[in-house]
């Protein structure tokens, strides 16, 4: 994804470089008639991301931000601050973070399952349809090791 920063805005200029998830064969396959969405453009892909960090310079306290992004939007729109939704923040000791993450994920996945069982109405086509959602989960764990050289006292 970071490859695109040095390239022109016109995506057609670099046909051999994937600069967005929309160019991915797997993403395109999802929307084909044989893919997950069976060719229905009214379905959508969601990216769930989380990353933990220590807000203090020492200790075992951690904070995990849980965010959701709609991948079907154009890149310059979906990465804007207003579009990325914060689902929650998990505070606590770093050893407890994975246990708490499961509880948040369970609620979110339950909501997506409930949504997928809901009949929607398309006013443009004047028909009802069942919405489909593809969830892509990204969990980033970055471990920083602080190396301090001992200073000999004289």
């Amino acid at each position: 994804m970071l490859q695109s920063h040095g390239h022109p805005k016109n995506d057609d200029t670099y046909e051999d470089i994937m600069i967005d998830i929309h160019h991915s064969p797997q993403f395109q396959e999802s929307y084909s008639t044989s893919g997950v969405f069976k060719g229905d453009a009214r379905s959508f892909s969601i990216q769930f991301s989380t990353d933990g960090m220590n807000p203090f310079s020492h200790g075992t306290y951690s904070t995990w931000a849980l965010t959701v992004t709609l991948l079907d939007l154009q890149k310059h729109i979906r990465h804007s601050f207003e579009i990325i939704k914060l689902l929650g923040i998990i505070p606590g000791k770093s050893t407890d973070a994975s246990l708490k993450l499961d509880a948040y994920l369970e609620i979110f996945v339950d909501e997506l399952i409930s949504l997928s069982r809901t009949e929607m109405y398309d006013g443009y086509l004047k028909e009802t349809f069942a919405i489909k959602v593809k969830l892509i989960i990204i969990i980033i764990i970055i471990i920083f090791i602080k190396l301090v050289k001992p200073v000999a006292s004289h």
Side-chain angles (χ1 to χ4, degrees):
M1 295 298 259
L2 294 177
Q3 270 184 327
S4 65
H5 290 295
H7 298 294
K9 298 291 183 203
N10 183 358
D11 289 349
D12 298 331
T13 307
Y14 295 94
E15 295 171 1
D16 59 336
I17 298 175
M18 187 184 325
I19 60 172
D20 189 31
I21 192 168
H22 292 174
H23 299 136
S24 162
Q26 291 84 1
F27 189 84
Q28 293 175 5
E29 172 64 25
S30 295
Y31 289 90
S32 72
T33 54
S34 62
V36 173
F37 301 131
K38 307 292 186 218
D40 191 352
R42 297 173 293 197
S43 302
F44 53 93
S45 298
I46 295 177
Q47 173 184 319
F48 174 83
S49 302
T50 183
D51 189 8
M53 60 157 241
N54 184 341
F56 309 111
S57 61
H58 62 288
T60 60
Y61 191 83
S62 69
T63 302
W64 287 72
L66 312 173
T67 60
V68 174
T69 305
L70 184 60
L71 292 175
D72 298 288
L73 299 172
Q74 294 177 4
K75 182 171 53 173
H76 70 279
I77 296 171
R78 75 172 170 264
H79 292 306
S80 66
F81 186 72
E82 298 83 16
I83 299 298
I84 299 172
K85 299 300 177 204
L86 180 65
L87 292 182
I89 297 175
I90 305 174
K93 292 197 176 275
S94 58
T95 56
D96 300 338
S98 62
L99 299 173
K100 293 178 183 178
L101 182 60
D102 288 346
Y104 280 84
L105 281 175
E106 183 178 2
I107 294 168
F108 180 59
V109 170
D110 287 348
E111 288 296 319
L112 289 178
I113 291 170
S114 175
L115 176 65
S116 68
R117 294 180 183 146
T118 304
E119 286 288 317
M120 302 288 211
Y121 181 75
D122 185 337
Y124 182 73
L125 296 177
K126 304 208 182 326
E127 66 182 14
T128 59
F129 68 99
I131 197 159
K132 294 181 183 98
V133 179
K134 181 178 181 180
L135 179 63
I136 299 169
I137 298 177
I138 300 173
I139 299 175
I140 303 171
I141 301 173
I142 301 175
I143 301 172
F144 291 98
I145 301 173
K146 186 175 182 181
L147 299 175
V148 180
K149 292 184 179 179
V151 178
S153 58
H154 296 260

